[in-house]
Amino acid sequence: MTLSLDTNEVADYLKNHPEFFEHHADMLMHLQIPDMHGDRAISITERQLVALRDRNKLLETKLSELVGFGEENDVIGEKMHELAIAMIRAETFATVAQVLYAHLGDTFLVPHVTLRLWGAGCDEGREEFSPVDAETVAFATDLKQPYCGPSAGIEACAWLGNDVHSLALIPLRRGEETFGLLALGSEEMQRFYPEMGTLYLTRFGDLAAAALLRTLG
């Protein structure tokens, strides 16, 4: 009677009996398996070396990506530090607004930046204190984190111009109260997208809110 073995059973047996090849070491010399990179058969040792090389390449790629992310974060962190210093030095609302616009525009290369404030102070004649509709105020109040995504259907897009196709909207808060919105816009559809990280955008909001509240009283 011919006994038929399932390949999974063979794999399970070898996994559960690692000593098998200790007792049958000569088999390792004769086992041949397909080369994943060609048509010829190779030994297990060669196959292991190929697998290790492939794994090393994958690890090198991952390491390179991590190094790239780290370097990028270092650059952003330095820019955030410069912004924080400039905010601390700003003594008036006008200077705070100027610092925000300048750093976000020139340092972070955001082409469209504006503020709207409705719950803190007032500086007559400035665009930042223009009336904001109730729907936008409610939208900003309900945000748990900055909004990133397409500008279509977003009322705040009108603050930035007709050429804006993606937005980042950052709520400005005093405790639990939302008193304004920092709006960033771009002509690029994917400059601000829903899946992007919002850590640094949140920090922008924290810095801006603290500086604005300090100068508005």
Side-chain angles (χ1 to χ4, degrees), residues 58-115:
L58 179 61
L59 291 174
E60 287 174 1
T61 299
K62 291 292 185 183
L63 179 59
S64 179
E65 290 177 356
L66 290 173
V67 170
F69 290 145
E71 292 174 346
E72 183 179 345
N73 284 335
D74 286 343
V75 171
I76 295 175
E78 182 62 29
K79 292 178 179 179
M80 288 292 296
H81 178 70
E82 293 174 1
L83 174 60
I85 295 298
M87 287 286 211
I88 291 171
R89 289 174 175 167
E91 297 180 352
T92 65
F93 170 81
T95 308
V96 170
Q98 181 182 6
V99 165
L100 266 178
Y101 298 150
H103 276 260
L104 289 173
D106 299 336
T107 305
F108 290 92
L109 303 179
V110 179
H112 303 278
V113 183
T114 193
L115 278 168

Side-chain angles (χ1 to χ4, degrees), residues 126-172:
R126 290 196 63 102
E127 186 178 44
E128 291 85 358
F129 295 94
S130 300
V132 177
D133 63 276
E135 183 178 351
T136 299
V137 172
F139 173 80
T141 301
D142 290 341
L143 286 176
K144 303 302 181 185
Q145 61 184 21
Y147 165 85
C148 297
S151 60
I154 304 294
E155 184 65 29
C157 181
W159 307 343
L160 297 166
N162 296 326
D163 295 330
V164 170
H165 297 297
S166 64
L167 289 172
L169 300 176
I170 307 170
L172 304 175

Side-chain angles (χ1 to χ4, degrees), residues 14 17-32 43-45 48:
L14 293 176
H17 297 81
E19 75 284 356
F20 176 82
F21 286 111
E22 293 180 10
H23 302 306
H24 303 277
D26 57 316
M27 290 188 63
L28 291 173
M29 302 295 295
H30 303 290
L31 285 176
Q32 299 286 312
S43 68
I44 286 182
T45 302
Q48 288 175 326

